Amino acid sequence: SQTIHQWPATLVQPVGSPLSLECTVEGTSNPNLYWYRQAAGRGLQLLFYSVGIGQISSEVPQNLSASRPQDRQFILSSKKLLLSDSGFYLCAWSATSVPYNEQFFGPGTRLTVL
Amino acid sequence: AQSVSQHNHHVILSEAASLELGCNYSYGGTVNLFWYVQYPGQHLQLLLKYFSGDPLVKGIKGFEAEFIKSKFSFNLRKPSVQWSDTAEYFCAVNAGHYGQNFVFGPGTRLSVLP
């Protein structure tokens, strides 16, 4: 069966510091991968998606970037964190073999920028 | 771009009461529809989905949803809620082949009183 991992689970970082959040998927090949930010009362906002290695599409211009160095690895980064980057970050995957398919979510990372 | 609205921010019910959570979307083309649930401290998980066919779909834990195309609605129902249904519920629409247009509603928090 497929599983999705995210780490760290929680992170507290000072303003101006770099960020790296990692997501890996097991049990599937060539998944579509996604990064979301979840804000209370505002649902989930899609930040980035990837349909293949090295292919990243950004939905929202911001202080963050994403990379996909391997088929089942998706990384969310920042060179200098802002206070507004605080939030709950979710990674998700969907199967490319089924168009319009549902997404499966990881446990999330709670990021606090001080 | 499509959008998703959910009628209630917070719903409070007693056990055994009936539940209906409203969801409306705005998109004129083909969409797939989903309800996700996030129990306290747990992953976001799929409750049910509609792709095509019978507009009344059944999901896990006794939930069902009805797709009414003319009303652009996909309301979630359960005839008798339990305390364990306390969670946040998200309606979502996927109008993109790769999930790049996977849009979530703001969520409805359900509190079930024992």
Side-chain angles (χ1 to χ4, degrees), chain A residues 58-72:
Chain A
S58 173
E59 290 296 299
V60 182
Q62 60 215 320
N63 186 42
L64 302 169
S65 62
S67 61
R68 184 171 178 173
Q70 299 180 42
D71 180 44
R72 289 169 289 175

Side-chain angles (χ1 to χ4, degrees), chain B residues 38-49:
Chain B
Q38 191 170 33
Y39 297 104
Q42 295 190 27
H43 297 203
L44 199 64
Q45 57 186 283
L46 184 69
L47 203 54
L48 50 77
K49 62 184 179 183

